[in-house]
Amino acid sequence: MIGSERVSAFRRAVRAQHEYGMPLTMPTLYRHAEFEWVSKLGLDMTYLLHTEQEYEYLYPLSEDAEVVFRTHVKSFRNRVGMAFVTLETEILTDGRLCVRAITNFVVKTPGAGQK
Amino acid sequence: MMWTVGQVLPPLVKPPLSREQLAEYAEASGDKNPLHLDDAVAQAAGFPSVICHGMISMAFLADYARMIFPEGSYRVVRLKSRFRKVAFPGDQLTCEGKIKTISPEGVIALSMLAKNQRGEVVTEGEAEVVSSES
């Protein structure tokens, strides 16, 4: 459960002036598994660059509901010392898909730029 | 309210970014990457100081979308950001946007930019919005 205090803290942290309910970017709370995937792929987070973020809002996410989330690798490409990773996280409450998050990272891989 | 394609929307000036905000956001979001919190780590990575979470700029654009399309009257169905430039504590971002398209079904797409005080684009954004009645 997210809880009203956490919502308020998030709203304060992003200095929301016009968002009165749950901030639209609050689903970022459920993206931490994405970093675990980056490690599983053998990539060094020190060289990670977050390039794009997308959210699809399918159903209202309630601060009182129990949240379940699942993350998978949508695509992974290695090209000339850089890894391009797209991860998708689905956030559900009561078995209903509420938010889909799509995250793009670029990670420099060891030996990049060296012969 | 009538919207037209190409309509330029009023800007939103956000409060200057600060180290305090980075600490608050790290706590609130769970993103405690030391690049945002520890100068030594940021400098070792090649930055002059800690850098702001890109997601804070996305949150600013979300706030902007809500300013233009208030909750209750509209629903945001999609929000997307591309992080172009790093922002630092002390930078002040201004959000601006325009109506990109309006579909026959009434989906309003807007394009947005968060620019720093030097006019540089920090983050590009897009949002899709529908009337709450739809």
Side-chain angles (χ1 to χ4, degrees), chain A residues 11-94:
Chain A
R11 212 162 43 225
R12 257 192 324 271
V14 300
R15 305 295 189 260
Q17 295 164 267
H18 304 281
E19 291 192 286
Y20 303 106
M22 189 176 304
L24 287 166
T25 57
M26 195 151 183
T28 199
L29 259 58
Y30 300 103
R31 291 183 36 239
H32 52 80
E34 295 175 359
F35 295 109
E36 292 168 20
W37 267 111
V38 171
S39 296
K40 278 184 205 173
L41 290 167
L43 303 171
D44 187 346
M45 291 240 317
T46 312
Y47 298 107
L48 183 148
L49 187 65
H50 186 184
T51 54
E52 288 186 2
Q53 184 64 52
E54 181 173 355
Y55 292 113
E56 257 186 279
Y57 305 99
L58 300 152
Y59 194 80
L61 188 59
S62 165
E63 63 185 44
D64 299 323
E66 293 296 326
V67 175
V68 169
F69 62 98
R70 49 194 186 216
T71 300
H72 67 274
V73 178
K74 201 170 154 84
S75 74
F76 175 76
R77 288 175 297 143
N78 233 326
R79 194 189 288 178
V80 196
M82 306 280 270
F84 297 83
V85 187
T86 300
L87 297 157
E88 184 172 291
T89 296
E90 294 179 320
I91 298 158
L92 302 93
T93 61
D94 298 324

Side-chain angles (χ1 to χ4, degrees), chain B residues 117-132:
Chain B
Q117 64 278 12
R118 293 179 294 279
E120 297 165 329
V121 175
V122 171
T123 301
E124 292 176 12
E126 296 168 18
E128 287 179 6
V129 178
V130 298
S131 162
S132 291

Side-chain angles (χ1 to χ4, degrees), chain B residues 67-123:
Chain B
M67 178 184 93
I68 304 296
F69 297 99
E71 286 179 70
S73 299
Y74 295 93
R75 263 189 314 123
V76 175
V77 294
R78 188 173 150 270
L79 184 68
K80 183 172 181 176
S81 286
R82 285 177 207 88
F83 306 112
R84 293 294 192 209
K85 242 181 142 45
V86 169
F88 296 93
D91 284 349
Q92 184 162 30
L93 302 186
T94 297
C95 303
E96 50 187 67
K98 62 180 174 185
I99 304 292
K100 195 168 144 186
T101 59
I102 303 174
S103 78
E105 297 78 27
V107 179
I108 304 168
L110 62 151
S111 58
M112 302 180 286
L113 298 173
K115 292 182 176 176
N116 65 21
Q117 64 278 12
R118 293 179 294 279
E120 297 165 329
V121 175
V122 171
T123 301

